Amino acid sequence: MTSAPDITHALAALRPAGAIAPPPALLDRTALDVPLADPDAVGHWAGQVLAGHSLPDGLRIALDLDDTLLHGSQTCPTLWDRGGYADPAIVPGWRYDRMRVSWRGRLHLLRGRPRYDAVARHHHPALTAPRIVVSPDLPMLSVLGWVQARGAVLGLATASARMRVDLLLDRLPALRALVGPRVMAAEDLARRLTTAPDDADPLWSAAAPAHAARPLSLAAKTPWALAPLWDGAGYDLLVDDSAVTAALMDTAGLGDRLLHIPGGALSPAAGWANAAALLRRLAGLPTPDSIPAPPLVGTLRIEDPLYWPCLHLSDQFEDPAHG
């Protein structure tokens, strides 16, 4: 098995060259009030979507993060269209009160520009990266809470680095409440993928074609790869937007374990449609042609200071222990 330092180095090679990780003291970890839909309204809506059917007991559901539960301005232009990056409704991700302001920045502040534009970049080079704003999929999170209350056990599996995942979980307690400690970040996936499998393990036998097709791929989120989330058990369903993951699951004949949802389409309508597809899939029902009128849901947009420093431009890394 590859050692943790080697894995960290291998994953770092997948990130943008020159990405600067901000000092931890400059990251805002304040927990945010996530405006989910009213639980009673969600329950009424879910009952209509399921049309009298119920969900199986003890479901294990694996969840992707980016473009599944969390939409970012890098892939979702809608986030920009809602007022641009200067919109004061965007929740800061930096501790601007700890940052030095440039002389020109003081003029920006006097003209009403956001503090983001006033920071002295030569003192805070981490801010030279493009600004990324992210928004949780509030309809999906609301419905997942309803599913969890009915006995489902949820886990998060993402190719994003642990540093960023921990920051997002601190900021979004509604997400942490769903997955708890059942989180596999890029480092955890890499360790799992460099662990020698047991050929007698039925989870490995089913997953082997996917991992052979794309060795050491962080997108290969097979039931075997994510088994540590449930103490060695495989999941019942993976919810993910990745086309690579979908292709790998099909290669292994595991397409029935995947709900492939479109990414980059942040809107309440898209979120409720994906949530309805999830409920119907869990109940073994076909995707509905239309869905009932959903509950009202809020909006939340926050800066993501660790997006670029922790982003992987490729999902495929090389095992340092084998060349």
Side-chain angles (χ1 to χ4, degrees), residues 78 278 302-303:
T78 305
L278 170 64
I302 61 177
E303 283 184 306

Side-chain angles (χ1 to χ4, degrees), residues 140-173:
M140 183 63 84
L141 293 185
S142 299
V143 171
L144 285 171
W146 185 85
V147 171
Q148 182 189 50
R150 278 144 189 81
V153 184
L154 312 178
L156 184 69
T158 172
S160 187
R162 170 62 66 171
M163 180 187 297
R164 175 173 178 254
V165 175
D166 286 344
L167 176 66
L168 291 170
L169 291 175
D170 285 346
R171 304 230 69 189
L172 303 172

Side-chain angles (χ1 to χ4, degrees), residues 14 20-21 29 48 53 91 96-97 157 169 175 182 301 308 322:
L14 303 182
I20 302 172
R29 293 186 177 272
Q48 292 181 300
H53 294 80
V91 177
Y96 289 113
D97 57 318
L169 291 175
L175 177 56
R182 290 175 298 278
R301 290 186 295 159
W308 286 114
H322 298 88

Side-chain angles (χ1 to χ4, degrees), residues 178-203:
L178 290 177
V179 299
R182 290 175 298 278
V183 177
M184 291 185 75
E187 295 88 338
D188 308 303
L189 285 168
R191 292 188 187 99
R192 177 64 169 169
L193 296 173
T194 53
T195 301
D198 179 359
D199 290 336
D201 182 353
L203 287 180

